Amino acid sequence: QLPHNPLLSVRLARRKDLARSHLARAGVPVPRHWKIDLTGPLAPQLTHVIFPCVVKPVALSASRGVIRADDCVQLEQAIGRIASMLVDVPERDERETLLIEEFIAGTEVAVEGLLSDGRLEILAIFDKPDPLDGPYFEETYYTTPSRHVPDVQLQIASRVAEACAAYGLREGPVHAECRINNAGVWILEVAARTIGGLCGRLLRFGTGYGLEELVLLHTLGRRPDTQRETGGAGVLMIPIPQAGILRRVEGVLAAQRVPYIEEVVIDVREGYELVPLPEGSSYLGFIFARAPSPGEAEAALRAAHVCLRVVVAPLWKGGVVHAAAS
């Protein structure tokens, strides 16, 4: 029998509302939060909400439907916007429930780890150098190794391990998101899965193995000898600049010629519709860099991104133009 997690633990890690309440009861630092029933009157449920706050679906991923609100008007607009996105969600409880939580200011990191019989091994801590203050929370730059001081990195690892133990997770990959400020390390998410998209490629820099290799070796009960490299690496998840139909992406060759850039990957084909956050759930593509330091990797990614020009045509639906060309 392959090592696995209890079903309840995986459900806790998947559902944001259950995760928040469970971690709060366990004493793990999480934002103050309020569960909203979309089938009932909203006004009584919003009485105790603190601003600024963040509204989110309870089960969507990739920052889809996550919106910051600074006052009651913005909050009601955000709720209506997210509710319209959930119409086709098959699970009734997930379609009719929203989570509102207090906005936690600070820097953000992503954490990749592997659990073995309840013991957490940190594979990488990714810094997110762009401020993620809203109104939407699109992921952009990841760099590794982390530039946080060793003591903070230990606090991050300890907090993620604490959340895993509270859920009852014991085996397999873990992807976590944390905020760091003067009050310490806050858990935003701990999911029983690997990082999404092509970002897992960065694990080869930190360990010498691809993410898929590490997960399979763990499942087989084998512990590889990881190799920590010097220098730094990073990825840019290329954001979608506007809604419309993708005509072309110019400047890819120029971006690839930027020093320390390893690869530019455009995932969306010409002629396909682009949907930005908060309704969208994908990126235009990825840029990868490897440099003598994480700071230089970040600078290379930013320079490469400047080279790109995304040409978008209007999207016509029912005779109405939904976007302008750029």
Side-chain angles (χ1 to χ4, degrees):
Q1 181 176 331
L2 294 176
H4 61 279
N5 290 304
L7 184 60
L8 176 59
S9 300
V10 176
R11 177 171 169 76
L12 287 172
R14 178 182 174 274
R15 277 280 299 262
K16 294 179 176 65
D17 55 333
L18 302 179
R20 282 285 180 270
S21 58
H22 190 82
L23 292 182
R25 287 195 299 269
V28 179
V30 294
R32 282 180 285 186
H33 53 278
W34 302 267
K35 186 175 178 179
I36 302 300
D37 180 1
L38 292 175
T39 66
L42 284 180
Q45 301 181 73
L46 305 181
T47 303
H48 301 293
V49 171
I50 297 172
F51 295 101
C53 66
V54 177
V55 195
K56 58 181 65 174
V58 297
L60 298 186
S61 59
S63 300
R64 186 171 179 233
V66 181
I67 304 175
R68 171 173 165 161
D70 292 335
D71 54 43
C72 291
V73 173
Q74 291 183 7
L75 177 56
E76 291 178 3
Q77 291 173 343
I79 290 173
R81 189 170 181 178
I82 299 170
S84 67
M85 295 169 52
L86 301 178
V87 172
D88 296 325
V89 172
E91 187 72 30
R92 178 179 176 181
D93 193 33
E94 296 175 5
R95 189 172 62 245
E96 297 177 348
T97 306
L98 291 183
L99 180 68
I100 300 177
E101 58 188 36
E102 180 184 10
F103 173 75
I104 300 294
T107 58
E108 191 164 317
V109 296
V111 181
E112 295 304 306
L114 274 175
L115 284 166
S116 300
D117 194 26
R119 183 183 62 84
L120 178 65
E121 176 189 2
I122 299 296
L123 299 175
I125 297 175
F126 298 116
D127 291 342
K128 302 182 184 183
D130 270 0
L132 295 171
D133 294 329
Y136 315 124
F137 296 87
E138 189 165 41
E139 305 274 24
T140 50
Y141 296 91
Y142 275 30
T143 63
T144 189
S146 175
R147 284 170 274 180
H148 287 288
V149 298
D151 181 59
V152 170
Q153 294 188 44
L154 287 174
Q155 291 179 47
I156 294 168
S158 176
R159 188 69 76 219
V160 174
E162 187 180 353
C164 291
Y167 288 149
L169 295 173
R170 298 193 58 79
E171 295 289 345
V174 169
H175 173 76
E177 309 278 346
C178 304
R179 283 265 170 139
I180 306 151
N181 58 26
N182 291 335
V185 178
W186 300 77
I187 292 291
L188 297 185
E189 176 188 11
V190 174
R193 60 171 176 81
T194 61
I195 193 172
L198 298 181
C199 297
R201 290 188 187 183
L202 288 187
L203 268 296
R204 188 171 293 279
F205 170 84
T207 66
Y209 290 84
L211 181 56
E212 296 81 5
E213 293 176 281
L214 291 169
V215 173
L216 288 173
L217 288 169
H218 169 269
T219 302
L220 295 172
R222 296 171 55 186
R223 290 185 55 82
D225 293 326
T226 56
Q227 303 169 359
R228 298 289 174 181
E229 299 183 29
T230 59
V235 61
L236 166 64
M237 289 154 271
I238 306 172
I240 291 175
Q242 66 182 91
I245 300 298
L246 177 65
R247 287 300 180 222
R248 61 188 178 276
V249 180
E250 300 174 348
V252 173
L253 292 179
Q256 290 176 335
R257 287 194 292 265
V258 172
Y260 304 130
I261 294 299
E262 288 196 326
E263 188 177 12
V264 179
V265 179
I266 303 300
D267 279 340
V268 182
R269 297 176 61 184
E270 296 176 7
Y272 278 67
E273 182 180 354
L274 299 179
V275 182
L277 283 179
E279 283 78 14
S281 60
S282 61
Y283 301 96
L284 189 65
F286 301 83
I287 304 177
F288 295 92
R290 186 171 299 199
S293 70
E296 289 168 292
E298 178 191 341
L301 292 170
R302 294 188 186 278
H305 191 204
V306 169
C307 295
L308 300 182
R309 179 173 181 265
V310 184
V311 181
V312 182
L315 174 64
W316 294 79
K317 288 186 178 181
V320 178
V321 179
H322 286 259
S326 66

